[in-house]
mmCIF file of all heavy atoms in Angstrom:
data_model
loop_
_atom_site.group_PDB
_atom_site.id
_atom_site.type_symbol
_atom_site.label_atom_id
_atom_site.label_comp_id
_atom_site.label_asym_id
_atom_site.label_seq_id
_atom_site.Cartn_x
_atom_site.Cartn_y
_atom_site.Cartn_z
ATOM 1 N N LYS J 204 -0.686 5.019 -24.490
ATOM 2 C CA LYS J 204 -1.851 4.683 -23.681
ATOM 3 C C LYS J 204 -1.620 3.402 -22.889
ATOM 4 O O LYS J 204 -2.048 3.280 -21.744
ATOM 5 C CB LYS J 204 -3.082 4.549 -24.567
ATOM 6 C CG LYS J 204 -3.608 5.881 -25.093
ATOM 7 C CD LYS J 204 -4.876 5.682 -25.891
ATOM 8 C CE LYS J 204 -5.410 7.032 -26.378
ATOM 9 N NZ LYS J 204 -6.651 6.857 -27.172
ATOM 10 N N GLU J 205 -0.931 2.442 -23.512
ATOM 11 C CA GLU J 205 -0.630 1.187 -22.825
ATOM 12 C C GLU J 205 0.277 1.435 -21.628
ATOM 13 O O GLU J 205 0.109 0.823 -20.574
ATOM 14 C CB GLU J 205 0.038 0.208 -23.800
ATOM 15 C CG GLU J 205 -0.883 -0.356 -24.854
ATOM 16 C CD GLU J 205 -2.027 -1.158 -24.235
ATOM 17 O OE1 GLU J 205 -1.764 -1.884 -23.265
ATOM 18 O OE2 GLU J 205 -3.163 -1.030 -24.709
ATOM 19 N N LEU J 206 1.242 2.333 -21.783
ATOM 20 C CA LEU J 206 2.149 2.675 -20.690
ATOM 21 C C LEU J 206 1.391 3.338 -19.544
ATOM 22 O O LEU J 206 1.624 3.040 -18.368
ATOM 23 C CB LEU J 206 3.246 3.612 -21.202
ATOM 24 C CG LEU J 206 4.332 4.027 -20.186
ATOM 25 C CD1 LEU J 206 5.051 2.791 -19.660
ATOM 26 C CD2 LEU J 206 5.317 4.996 -20.827
ATOM 27 N N GLU J 207 0.462 4.229 -19.885
ATOM 28 C CA GLU J 207 -0.345 4.906 -18.865
ATOM 29 C C GLU J 207 -1.217 3.904 -18.114
ATOM 30 O O GLU J 207 -1.381 3.995 -16.898
ATOM 31 C CB GLU J 207 -1.214 5.983 -19.516
ATOM 32 C CG GLU J 207 -0.413 7.191 -20.007
ATOM 33 C CD GLU J 207 -1.279 8.192 -20.737
ATOM 34 O OE1 GLU J 207 -2.480 7.890 -20.954
ATOM 35 O OE2 GLU J 207 -0.768 9.270 -21.096
ATOM 36 N N LYS J 208 -1.801 2.934 -18.857
ATOM 37 C CA LYS J 208 -2.610 1.898 -18.229
ATOM 38 C C LYS J 208 -1.777 1.074 -17.255
ATOM 39 O O LYS J 208 -2.221 0.721 -16.165
ATOM 40 C CB LYS J 208 -3.220 0.988 -19.291
ATOM 41 C CG LYS J 208 -4.361 1.610 -20.071
ATOM 42 C CD LYS J 208 -4.904 0.625 -21.097
ATOM 43 C CE LYS J 208 -6.044 1.242 -21.894
ATOM 44 N NZ LYS J 208 -6.553 0.282 -22.908
ATOM 45 N N LYS J 209 -0.544 0.755 -17.672
ATOM 46 C CA LYS J 209 0.354 -0.037 -16.828
ATOM 47 C C LYS J 209 0.681 0.712 -15.543
ATOM 48 O O LYS J 209 0.699 0.141 -14.454
ATOM 49 C CB LYS J 209 1.645 -0.352 -17.586
ATOM 50 C CG LYS J 209 2.563 -1.309 -16.861
ATOM 51 C CD LYS J 209 3.770 -1.664 -17.706
ATOM 52 C CE LYS J 209 4.686 -2.640 -16.973
ATOM 53 N NZ LYS J 209 5.872 -2.984 -17.809
ATOM 54 N N GLU J 210 0.930 2.033 -15.647
ATOM 55 C CA GLU J 210 1.243 2.847 -14.470
ATOM 56 C C GLU J 210 0.057 2.903 -13.506
ATOM 57 O O GLU J 210 0.225 2.870 -12.289
ATOM 58 C CB GLU J 210 1.651 4.255 -14.908
ATOM 59 C CG GLU J 210 3.019 4.304 -15.580
ATOM 60 C CD GLU J 210 3.363 5.698 -16.062
ATOM 61 O OE1 GLU J 210 2.464 6.578 -16.046
ATOM 62 O OE2 GLU J 210 4.520 5.908 -16.455
ATOM 63 N N VAL J 211 -1.162 2.989 -14.076
ATOM 64 C CA VAL J 211 -2.375 3.009 -13.244
ATOM 65 C C VAL J 211 -2.531 1.690 -12.502
ATOM 66 O O VAL J 211 -2.856 1.662 -11.304
ATOM 67 C CB VAL J 211 -3.628 3.286 -14.109
ATOM 68 C CG1 VAL J 211 -4.903 3.050 -13.300
ATOM 69 C CG2 VAL J 211 -3.597 4.706 -14.630
ATOM 70 N N LEU J 212 -2.278 0.581 -13.187
ATOM 71 C CA LEU J 212 -2.382 -0.744 -12.569
ATOM 72 C C LEU J 212 -1.358 -0.913 -11.453
ATOM 73 O O LEU J 212 -1.648 -1.473 -10.396
ATOM 74 C CB LEU J 212 -2.201 -1.841 -13.623
ATOM 75 C CG LEU J 212 -3.363 -2.027 -14.611
ATOM 76 C CD1 LEU J 212 -2.972 -3.019 -15.709
ATOM 77 C CD2 LEU J 212 -4.612 -2.513 -13.880
ATOM 78 N N ILE J 213 -0.138 -0.435 -11.707
ATOM 79 C CA ILE J 213 0.923 -0.517 -10.686
ATOM 80 C C ILE J 213 0.529 0.298 -9.458
ATOM 81 O O ILE J 213 0.699 -0.138 -8.310
ATOM 82 C CB ILE J 213 2.263 -0.010 -11.258
ATOM 83 C CG1 ILE J 213 2.794 -1.008 -12.303
ATOM 84 C CG2 ILE J 213 3.288 0.173 -10.141
ATOM 85 C CD1 ILE J 213 4.012 -0.505 -13.040
ATOM 86 N N LYS J 214 -0.032 1.502 -9.684
ATOM 87 C CA LYS J 214 -0.456 2.373 -8.578
ATOM 88 C C LYS J 214 -1.564 1.713 -7.769
ATOM 89 O O LYS J 214 -1.551 1.735 -6.532
ATOM 90 C CB LYS J 214 -0.917 3.711 -9.128
ATOM 91 C CG LYS J 214 -1.224 4.743 -8.045
ATOM 92 C CD LYS J 214 -1.574 6.083 -8.651
ATOM 93 C CE LYS J 214 -1.870 7.096 -7.552
ATOM 94 N NZ LYS J 214 -2.203 8.427 -8.127
ATOM 95 N N LYS J 215 -2.554 1.116 -8.459
ATOM 96 C CA LYS J 215 -3.642 0.435 -7.765
ATOM 97 C C LYS J 215 -3.121 -0.737 -6.953
ATOM 98 O O LYS J 215 -3.553 -0.962 -5.819
ATOM 99 C CB LYS J 215 -4.675 -0.048 -8.786
ATOM 100 C CG LYS J 215 -5.566 1.050 -9.344
ATOM 101 C CD LYS J 215 -6.612 0.478 -10.283
ATOM 102 C CE LYS J 215 -7.538 1.581 -10.802
ATOM 103 N NZ LYS J 215 -8.550 1.024 -11.740
ATOM 104 N N SER J 216 -2.196 -1.504 -7.544
ATOM 105 C CA SER J 216 -1.624 -2.660 -6.850
ATOM 106 C C SER J 216 -0.898 -2.222 -5.590
ATOM 107 O O SER J 216 -1.040 -2.829 -4.524
ATOM 108 C CB SER J 216 -0.667 -3.405 -7.783
ATOM 109 O OG SER J 216 -0.022 -4.446 -7.114
ATOM 110 N N ARG J 217 -0.122 -1.124 -5.693
ATOM 111 C CA ARG J 217 0.623 -0.607 -4.546
ATOM 112 C C ARG J 217 -0.324 -0.129 -3.451
ATOM 113 O O ARG J 217 -0.118 -0.383 -2.265
ATOM 114 C CB ARG J 217 1.531 0.535 -5.008
ATOM 115 C CG ARG J 217 2.509 1.023 -3.942
ATOM 116 C CD ARG J 217 3.373 2.122 -4.498
ATOM 117 N NE ARG J 217 4.259 1.644 -5.531
ATOM 118 C CZ ARG J 217 4.898 2.439 -6.395
ATOM 119 N NH1 ARG J 217 4.712 3.746 -6.345
ATOM 120 N NH2 ARG J 217 5.702 1.937 -7.297
ATOM 121 N N ASN J 218 -1.390 0.557 -3.848
ATOM 122 C CA ASN J 218 -2.378 1.033 -2.872
ATOM 123 C C ASN J 218 -3.045 -0.128 -2.149
ATOM 124 O O ASN J 218 -3.305 -0.061 -0.944
ATOM 125 C CB ASN J 218 -3.431 1.891 -3.572
ATOM 126 C CG ASN J 218 -2.898 3.259 -3.962
ATOM 127 O OD1 ASN J 218 -1.914 3.727 -3.402
ATOM 128 N ND2 ASN J 218 -3.530 3.890 -4.937
ATOM 129 N N ASN J 219 -3.329 -1.208 -2.884
ATOM 130 C CA ASN J 219 -3.931 -2.396 -2.276
ATOM 131 C C ASN J 219 -2.999 -3.010 -1.239
ATOM 132 O O ASN J 219 -3.440 -3.449 -0.174
ATOM 133 C CB ASN J 219 -4.281 -3.427 -3.344
ATOM 134 C CG ASN J 219 -5.469 -3.000 -4.193
ATOM 135 O OD1 ASN J 219 -6.289 -2.188 -3.762
ATOM 136 N ND2 ASN J 219 -5.562 -3.518 -5.406
ATOM 137 N N TYR J 220 -1.695 -3.049 -1.576
ATOM 138 C CA TYR J 220 -0.730 -3.603 -0.632
ATOM 139 C C TYR J 220 -0.653 -2.760 0.633
ATOM 140 O O TYR J 220 -0.590 -3.289 1.746
ATOM 141 C CB TYR J 220 0.659 -3.700 -1.275
ATOM 142 C CG TYR J 220 0.882 -4.972 -2.051
ATOM 143 C CD1 TYR J 220 1.162 -4.948 -3.409
ATOM 144 C CD2 TYR J 220 0.811 -6.212 -1.418
ATOM 145 C CE1 TYR J 220 1.367 -6.119 -4.124
ATOM 146 C CE2 TYR J 220 1.018 -7.393 -2.121
ATOM 147 C CZ TYR J 220 1.292 -7.336 -3.475
ATOM 148 O OH TYR J 220 1.499 -8.496 -4.178
ATOM 149 N N PHE J 221 -0.654 -1.428 0.488
ATOM 150 C CA PHE J 221 -0.570 -0.559 1.652
ATOM 151 C C PHE J 221 -1.829 -0.670 2.513
ATOM 152 O O PHE J 221 -1.760 -0.583 3.731
ATOM 153 C CB PHE J 221 -0.334 0.892 1.213
ATOM 154 C CG PHE J 221 1.056 1.150 0.712
ATOM 155 C CD1 PHE J 221 1.276 1.974 -0.374
ATOM 156 C CD2 PHE J 221 2.154 0.567 1.322
ATOM 157 C CE1 PHE J 221 2.556 2.209 -0.838
ATOM 158 C CE2 PHE J 221 3.440 0.789 0.866
ATOM 159 C CZ PHE J 221 3.647 1.613 -0.225
ATOM 160 N N GLN J 222 -2.982 -0.865 1.879
ATOM 161 C CA GLN J 222 -4.220 -1.065 2.639
ATOM 162 C C GLN J 222 -4.145 -2.366 3.427
ATOM 163 O O GLN J 222 -4.567 -2.435 4.582
ATOM 164 C CB GLN J 222 -5.409 -1.074 1.679
ATOM 165 C CG GLN J 222 -5.750 0.288 1.105
ATOM 166 C CD GLN J 222 -6.824 0.219 0.036
ATOM 167 O OE1 GLN J 222 -7.429 -0.821 -0.179
ATOM 168 N NE2 GLN J 222 -7.054 1.333 -0.645
ATOM 169 N N SER J 223 -3.605 -3.402 2.799
ATOM 170 C CA SER J 223 -3.423 -4.685 3.481
ATOM 171 C C SER J 223 -2.441 -4.536 4.640
ATOM 172 O O SER J 223 -2.667 -5.051 5.741
ATOM 173 C CB SER J 223 -2.914 -5.733 2.488
ATOM 174 O OG SER J 223 -2.574 -6.934 3.145
ATOM 175 N N PHE J 224 -1.345 -3.804 4.393
ATOM 176 C CA PHE J 224 -0.343 -3.564 5.432
ATOM 177 C C PHE J 224 -0.973 -2.840 6.622
ATOM 178 O O PHE J 224 -0.699 -3.172 7.779
ATOM 179 C CB PHE J 224 0.806 -2.749 4.844
ATOM 180 C CG PHE J 224 1.922 -2.454 5.808
ATOM 181 C CD1 PHE J 224 2.889 -3.394 6.078
ATOM 182 C CD2 PHE J 224 1.992 -1.235 6.466
ATOM 183 C CE1 PHE J 224 3.928 -3.132 6.975
ATOM 184 C CE2 PHE J 224 3.007 -0.954 7.351
ATOM 185 C CZ PHE J 224 3.975 -1.913 7.599
ATOM 186 N N SER J 225 -1.816 -1.859 6.344
ATOM 187 C CA SER J 225 -2.478 -1.095 7.405
ATOM 188 C C SER J 225 -3.368 -1.982 8.265
ATOM 189 O O SER J 225 -3.502 -1.762 9.468
ATOM 190 C CB SER J 225 -3.314 0.038 6.805
ATOM 191 O OG SER J 225 -2.493 0.980 6.160
ATOM 192 N N ARG J 226 -3.999 -2.964 7.643
ATOM 193 C CA ARG J 226 -4.858 -3.882 8.398
ATOM 194 C C ARG J 226 -4.049 -4.852 9.247
ATOM 195 O O ARG J 226 -4.469 -5.229 10.351
ATOM 196 C CB ARG J 226 -5.757 -4.674 7.436
ATOM 197 C CG ARG J 226 -6.852 -3.861 6.767
ATOM 198 C CD ARG J 226 -7.862 -4.763 6.071
ATOM 199 N NE ARG J 226 -7.232 -5.586 5.037
ATOM 200 C CZ ARG J 226 -7.121 -5.222 3.765
ATOM 201 N NH1 ARG J 226 -7.608 -4.051 3.372
ATOM 202 N NH2 ARG J 226 -6.549 -6.023 2.876
ATOM 203 N N ASN J 227 -2.898 -5.253 8.746
ATOM 204 C CA ASN J 227 -2.130 -6.322 9.392
ATOM 205 C C ASN J 227 -1.136 -5.843 10.446
ATOM 206 O O ASN J 227 -0.627 -6.664 11.219
ATOM 207 C CB ASN J 227 -1.391 -7.148 8.338
ATOM 208 C CG ASN J 227 -2.332 -8.022 7.533
ATOM 209 O OD1 ASN J 227 -3.324 -8.525 8.055
ATOM 210 N ND2 ASN J 227 -2.038 -8.203 6.248
ATOM 211 N N PHE J 228 -0.844 -4.533 10.477
ATOM 212 C CA PHE J 228 0.162 -4.044 11.416
ATOM 213 C C PHE J 228 -0.313 -2.782 12.140
ATOM 214 O O PHE J 228 -1.007 -1.946 11.571
ATOM 215 C CB PHE J 228 1.487 -3.753 10.686
ATOM 216 C CG PHE J 228 2.168 -4.990 10.188
ATOM 217 C CD1 PHE J 228 1.990 -5.410 8.881
ATOM 218 C CD2 PHE J 228 2.970 -5.748 11.025
ATOM 219 C CE1 PHE J 228 2.600 -6.564 8.408
ATOM 220 C CE2 PHE J 228 3.584 -6.896 10.574
ATOM 221 C CZ PHE J 228 3.404 -7.307 9.259
ATOM 222 N N LYS J 229 0.094 -2.684 13.416
ATOM 223 C CA LYS J 229 -0.221 -1.524 14.239
ATOM 224 C C LYS J 229 1.068 -0.789 14.591
ATOM 225 O O LYS J 229 2.106 -1.420 14.823
ATOM 226 C CB LYS J 229 -0.916 -1.962 15.541
ATOM 227 C CG LYS J 229 -2.259 -2.643 15.349
ATOM 228 C CD LYS J 229 -2.830 -3.059 16.691
ATOM 229 C CE LYS J 229 -4.177 -3.755 16.552
ATOM 230 N NZ LYS J 229 -4.709 -4.176 17.865
ATOM 231 N N PHE J 230 0.989 0.534 14.649
ATOM 232 C CA PHE J 230 2.137 1.358 15.023
ATOM 233 C C PHE J 230 1.955 1.825 16.461
ATOM 234 O O PHE J 230 0.933 2.416 16.809
ATOM 235 C CB PHE J 230 2.260 2.549 14.072
ATOM 236 C CG PHE J 230 2.730 2.158 12.708
ATOM 237 C CD1 PHE J 230 1.846 1.594 11.789
ATOM 238 C CD2 PHE J 230 4.058 2.322 12.346
ATOM 239 C CE1 PHE J 230 2.281 1.208 10.538
ATOM 240 C CE2 PHE J 230 4.497 1.943 11.087
ATOM 241 C CZ PHE J 230 3.609 1.383 10.177
ATOM 242 N N LYS J 231 2.966 1.560 17.278
ATOM 243 C CA LYS J 231 2.842 1.848 18.705
ATOM 244 C C LYS J 231 4.092 2.524 19.246
ATOM 245 O O LYS J 231 5.195 2.341 18.726
ATOM 246 C CB LYS J 231 2.594 0.549 19.489
ATOM 247 C CG LYS J 231 1.256 -0.116 19.191
ATOM 248 C CD LYS J 231 1.015 -1.288 20.127
ATOM 249 C CE LYS J 231 -0.383 -1.856 19.982
ATOM 250 N NZ LYS J 231 -0.653 -2.931 20.954
ATOM 251 N N LEU J 232 3.907 3.288 20.328
ATOM 252 C CA LEU J 232 5.018 3.846 21.078
ATOM 253 C C LEU J 232 5.194 3.036 22.354
ATOM 254 O O LEU J 232 4.207 2.615 22.964
ATOM 255 C CB LEU J 232 4.757 5.309 21.428
ATOM 256 C CG LEU J 232 4.597 6.280 20.257
ATOM 257 C CD1 LEU J 232 4.449 7.709 20.779
ATOM 258 C CD2 LEU J 232 5.758 6.184 19.282
ATOM 259 N N ALA J 233 6.434 2.833 22.728
ATOM 260 C CA ALA J 233 6.725 2.103 23.965
ATOM 261 C C ALA J 233 6.613 3.083 25.127
ATOM 262 O O ALA J 233 7.533 3.866 25.385
ATOM 263 C CB ALA J 233 8.118 1.479 23.906
ATOM 264 N N ILE J 234 5.494 3.042 25.798
ATOM 265 C CA ILE J 234 5.237 3.942 26.922
ATOM 266 C C ILE J 234 5.455 3.215 28.256
ATOM 267 O O ILE J 234 6.103 3.735 29.156
ATOM 268 C CB ILE J 234 3.805 4.503 26.841
ATOM 269 C CG1 ILE J 234 3.634 5.300 25.532
ATOM 270 C CG2 ILE J 234 3.499 5.395 28.050
ATOM 271 C CD1 ILE J 234 2.229 5.771 25.264
ATOM 272 N N SER J 235 4.931 2.015 28.361
ATOM 273 C CA SER J 235 5.111 1.214 29.587
ATOM 274 C C SER J 235 6.482 0.555 29.579
ATOM 275 O O SER J 235 7.103 0.376 28.523
ATOM 276 C CB SER J 235 4.025 0.147 29.673
ATOM 277 O OG SER J 235 4.202 -0.839 28.648
ATOM 278 N N GLN J 236 6.965 0.179 30.759
ATOM 279 C CA GLN J 236 8.255 -0.517 30.841
ATOM 280 C C GLN J 236 8.182 -1.867 30.141
ATOM 281 O O GLN J 236 9.167 -2.316 29.538
ATOM 282 C CB GLN J 236 8.658 -0.716 32.303
ATOM 283 C CG GLN J 236 10.098 -1.195 32.479
ATOM 284 C CD GLN J 236 11.109 -0.236 31.871
ATOM 285 O OE1 GLN J 236 11.074 0.972 32.123
ATOM 286 N NE2 GLN J 236 12.021 -0.763 31.053
#
């Protein structure tokens, strides 16, 4: 159970980082010169 709890915490932490990354960075295509 402790191992499962640790995996859940790691998953939540990773999701939080990706949400932060999504806020801080934009993905763009170079269309204009």
